[in-house]
């Protein structure tokens, strides 16, 4: 039964990708711009524009172009960026590690802090600790990510001067590329200066990006813990004098883990969306900045590629979360 459930979830990935590619393709076709003119340049002649249209396949009927795009997409040819004049897939492959390093760092911070703080709120219900952390979680949800990022730059970079405000690493310190993740590559190559620099550049954008998911995880974990504590069998154990620590580890952690796992998967999508704004504020060379440049230049192959990659990452992560959920709660398989 578990194998069938996993196969069903994996098949759903391909269906979602098909829908995303189709919708994105249709939307880019209605952009009020001439891709051939953008490719040839503002001072191009009529003959040059026609040649560019033929090169881009714009002289063919829409449905034929759609099928042609699918053939190229499945073979790894996602088109050429109108802005960079390079293959879109090569541009994305260069920027995905930067975005994933930032997003995963933010999620690690959110989970590592959010789950213990949420448990603390639930255990210390209606105490000053609970009230303070609830105010923090409300603020984390309410504050716009871009505003928080700018405030962090202002305080820690311009006023205190202890952390860099932009970029991914100091010039000239980039480690040898192995995985594309600067922290991992710095460790693998034993490049301590690059490791320190990459960590310093990562702190502010990761914290800004983690604030929203952290607040949500705190609230969901708190609610889950309170729900478990209100059950009769847990109350009975408390009455019989079982230590709270044992109850916490044996009952609450397992029962409260189900909604927390769910919200972690959903918040990863929030991180991917918020990543774009944070990358712009901190000049982080990832998918967000690439997508912003593509939108400003109406670079529809780059826009399509970015949307597809983000959709693939999101649906894969949520599928993994669903599989983990099925392991934790066998009822989900049915």
């Amino acid at each position: 039964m578990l194998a069938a459930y996993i196969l069903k979830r994996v098949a759903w990935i391909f269906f979602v990708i098909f829908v995303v590619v189709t919708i994105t393709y249709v939307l880019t076709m209605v952009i009020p711009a001439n891709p051939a003119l953008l490719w040839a340049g503002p001072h191009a002649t009529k003959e040059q524009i026609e040649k560019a249209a033929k090169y881009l396949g714009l002289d063919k009927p829409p449905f034929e172009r759609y099928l042609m795009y699918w053939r190229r997409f499945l073979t790894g040819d996602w088109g050429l960026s109108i802005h960079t004049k390079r293959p879109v897939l090569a541009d994305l492959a260069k920027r995905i590690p930067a975005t994933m390093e930032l997003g995963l760092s933010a999620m690690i911070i959110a989970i590592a802090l959010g789950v213990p703080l949420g448990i603390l709120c639930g255990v210390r219900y209606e105490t000053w600790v609970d009230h303070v952390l609830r105010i923090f979680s409300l603020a984390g949800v309410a504050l716009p990510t871009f505003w928080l990022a700018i405030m962090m730059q202002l305080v820690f970079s311009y006023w205190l001067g202890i952390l860099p405000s932009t970029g991914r690493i100091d010039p000239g310190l980039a480690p040898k590329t192995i995985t594309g993740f600067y922290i991992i590559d710095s460790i693998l190559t034993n490049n301590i200066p690059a490791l320190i620099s990459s960590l310093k550049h990562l702190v502010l954008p990761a914290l800004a990006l983690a604030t929203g998911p952290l607040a949500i995880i705190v609230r969901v974990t708190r609610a889950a813990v309170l729900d478990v504590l209100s059950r009769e069998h847990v109350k009975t154990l408390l009455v019989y004098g079982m230590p709270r620590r044992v109850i916490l580890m044996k009952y609450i952690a397992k029962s409260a883990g189900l909604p927390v796992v769910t919200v972690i998967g959903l918040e990863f999508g929030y991180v991917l969306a918020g990543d774009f704004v944070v990358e712009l504020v901190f000049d982080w060379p990832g998918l967000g900045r690439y997508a912003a440049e593509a939108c400003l230049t109406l670079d529809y192959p780059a826009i399509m590629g970015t949307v597809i990659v983000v959709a693939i990452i999101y649906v894969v992560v949520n599928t993994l979360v669903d599989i983990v959920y099925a392991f934790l709660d066998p009822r989900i398989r049915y």
Side-chain angles (χ1 to χ4, degrees), residues 11-230:
W12 184 254
I13 292 177
F14 293 101
F15 174 74
V16 172
I17 293 173
F18 170 78
V19 172
V20 168
V21 171
T22 302
I23 294 176
T24 308
Y25 182 84
V26 172
L27 291 177
T28 53
M29 290 299 101
V30 299
I31 292 177
N34 186 349
L37 178 60
L38 295 172
W39 179 270
H43 304 292
T45 63
K46 183 178 179 180
E47 290 76 14
Q48 290 173 324
I49 295 174
E50 292 176 352
K51 185 177 179 180
K54 187 175 182 180
Y55 176 75
L56 296 173
L58 300 175
D59 57 332
K60 295 179 173 59
F63 186 71
E64 185 176 346
R65 278 186 284 161
Y66 172 72
L67 295 178
M68 184 173 64
Y69 182 81
W70 266 110
R71 287 195 297 269
R72 291 178 176 177
F73 174 78
L74 294 175
T75 57
D77 180 8
W78 291 17
L80 294 174
S81 169
I82 297 174
H83 177 61
T84 66
K85 300 295 190 294
R86 292 192 299 266
V88 170
L89 194 57
D91 284 344
L92 294 173
K94 185 178 179 181
R95 289 165 172 79
I96 287 174
T99 294
M100 291 302 295
E101 185 172 49
L102 177 57
L104 289 174
S105 299
M107 286 304 300
I108 290 172
I109 293 173
I111 296 169
L113 295 178
V115 173
L117 291 177
I119 293 174
L120 182 61
C121 280
V123 173
R124 302 294 184 184
Y125 177 65
E126 291 298 340
T127 64
W128 68 269
V129 175
D130 183 30
H131 294 315
V132 170
L133 291 177
R134 285 170 63 190
I135 293 173
F136 163 77
S137 63
L138 287 173
V141 174
L143 292 176
T145 304
F146 72 90
W147 180 87
L148 187 62
I150 294 172
M151 290 300 103
M152 285 184 173
Q153 279 184 327
L154 184 64
V155 174
F156 295 101
S157 297
Y158 296 106
W159 289 354
L160 300 179
I162 58 177
L163 291 171
S165 60
T166 58
R168 193 180 175 197
I169 198 170
D170 290 332
L173 290 181
K176 180 182 177 182
T177 301
I178 299 176
T179 64
F181 291 71
Y182 279 1
I183 294 177
I184 297 176
D185 291 348
S186 299
I187 295 173
L188 293 177
T189 58
N190 197 28
N191 191 338
I192 303 303
L195 177 61
I196 295 173
S197 178
S198 58
L199 285 172
K200 288 173 64 177
H201 282 80
L202 184 63
V203 170
L204 289 184
L207 286 175
L209 192 57
T211 303
L214 170 59
I216 296 295
I217 291 173
V218 169
R219 292 167 63 86
V220 171
T221 305
R222 175 184 180 273
V225 169
L226 290 176
D227 177 64
V228 174
L229 288 175
S230 66

